[in-house]
Amino acid sequence: MALLHAQRSMLSDLSKMSAASQAERGVLEEEFKWLLKEEVHAVLKQLQDILKEASRRFSMPLAGLESQLKQENFILGSSTMDQVKGVLTLQGDTLTQADIHLKMMRSNQVFHFAFRDDKQWKMQQIQDARNHIAQALQLVNSRDESYYFKSGAEVNKLMDAVMLQLTRARNRLTTPATMTLPELACSGLMKMFSPPMPGDVMVNFYINLSKLCLTVYQLHVLQPNTTKNFKPSGSSILHNPGAMFEIGNTKFEVSHVHMVECVVPWLNDTLVFLTISLQLCQQLKDKLLELQTILAASASSQRSKEGAGFRAPGYRGGSRPQHHHALAHTVPVPAQFSAGAGF
C-alpha cells in the first residue's frame, strides 16, 4: 500500500510540474504572437519615419512631404596645400557648377576652370543611394498596420530585404567607384569645363562617406624613346604619382595628385539614419531568433523529460518575459523617431 501511495504521489507531482511547464510555454507562445502582431509593426513604423526623413535629405518627391531641393555651395579646402581651390554647387544628386582654380606645378601659373552653362554632372553615388533608400521604404510600406505576420520566417524575409537595400545605400556612399586612368581621361567629365581642361590635367569627383571630394591629376607625356619601364596602372579610386597609362599611341605618367574635399552635412545625417535603421532590423531579427530558440528548447525538453519544468532564461512571470521589451527601448533611436512621434 505504501508503494502504491508513493507512486500516486509521484504521478501527481509530475502532473503538476508538467502543467506548470505547459503554462510557461503558453506564456512564451503568447509573447511570440504579441511580437508578430504588435511589435513588428512598431518597428516598421520607426523604420518608416526614419527612412522618410532620410528621403527628405535626398530631396525625393514623397506625398505629403515638402521637397528640400535647393542649391548648396561648398568650399573646397585642404589643410596641407593651396594648389587647388574652388567652390562646388550641389543640388540634390547633381553638381550644377564647379568653379576651380588650379596652380600648375611646372609653370606656377594659376588657371581657372568652371562648368559650362549648359553642363551639369550627376553624382551617381548619391543617386544610387537615394534609389536604394526608396526601395527600402517601399518594402516597409508594403505591410500596413492591419497586416498579420504569420511566422517569424515571414518577418525575417522582409527584414532581410530591407537590410539589403539599406546596406547597398550605405555602401554606395562609403565606397567610391574605381576607375582606370584611361576611363577617367575619356569620361564626359573632361568635356564639362570652360575653358577646356588642358591635355595634361584630369579631374574626378566622388563621394566618400559624408564628403564631396575632388581629385586633380597633373600629367606629363612619356617620350617614345624613354628608357623608363612602362607599366600601365589598373583600376583604383585614387591613383598615385608615378601611375602610367596610354591613350592611342601616347603614354602618360601622373606627376602630381591634389585632393580637396568638403563636408556635406545631410550626407552625414543619411549615414546615421541608415545605421539606426539597420540596427532596428537586426535587433528585431535577434529577438525573433531568441524567442524561437526558447520555444524549441521548451518543446524538446517537454518531449524528452515528461514533467520536467522548463524555465525560460530571464523569465519572471507576468504577461511576457522580462527581457522582451519594445525595441524602442533597446536601440538608441533619436526621440523624434520613437513610436508615435511626428515631424
Side-chain angles (χ1 to χ4, degrees), residues 36 143 147-159 288:
L36 292 178
R143 299 290 185 267
Y147 183 83
Y148 179 72
F149 289 91
K150 301 174 183 61
S151 66
E154 185 182 5
V155 177
N156 278 327
K157 183 178 180 180
L158 177 60
M159 290 298 100
L288 282 166

Side-chain angles (χ1 to χ4, degrees), residues 241-307:
M244 303 176 189
F245 68 102
E246 181 177 7
I247 296 180
N249 295 321
T250 305
K251 296 180 174 64
F252 296 89
E253 182 180 23
V254 175
S255 58
H256 299 89
V257 180
H258 312 296
M259 285 188 60
V260 286
E261 60 191 25
C262 52
V263 175
V264 181
W266 59 266
L267 285 179
N268 184 68
D269 293 344
T270 299
L271 290 169
V272 172
F273 295 149
L274 291 172
T275 298
I276 294 173
S277 298
L278 284 165
Q279 287 175 344
L280 282 169
C281 293
Q282 187 59 55
Q283 289 204 11
L284 180 58
K285 284 168 58 70
D286 292 343
K287 190 167 188 179
L288 282 166
L289 177 61
E290 180 186 14
L291 265 178
Q292 288 173 318
T293 301
I294 293 173
L295 284 168
S298 174
S300 175
S301 175
Q302 193 167 349
R303 286 193 301 268
S304 60
K305 297 176 64 177
E306 183 64 29

Side-chain angles (χ1 to χ4, degrees), residues 42-53 137 140 159 162 166 276-278 280-281 284 337:
V43 173
L44 290 177
K45 179 61 169 63
Q46 285 181 287
L47 288 171
Q48 183 185 67
D49 291 343
I50 294 170
L51 295 178
K52 279 184 177 179
E53 192 64 17
L137 185 56
V140 170
M159 290 298 100
V162 172
L166 295 176
I276 294 173
S277 298
L278 284 165
L280 282 169
C281 293
L284 180 58
F337 299 127

Side-chain angles (χ1 to χ4, degrees), residues 125 171-178 206-208 237:
Q125 287 174 263
N171 289 345
R172 287 301 286 132
L173 298 177
T174 60
T175 310
T178 61
Y206 59 90
I207 299 296
N208 185 18
I237 298 171

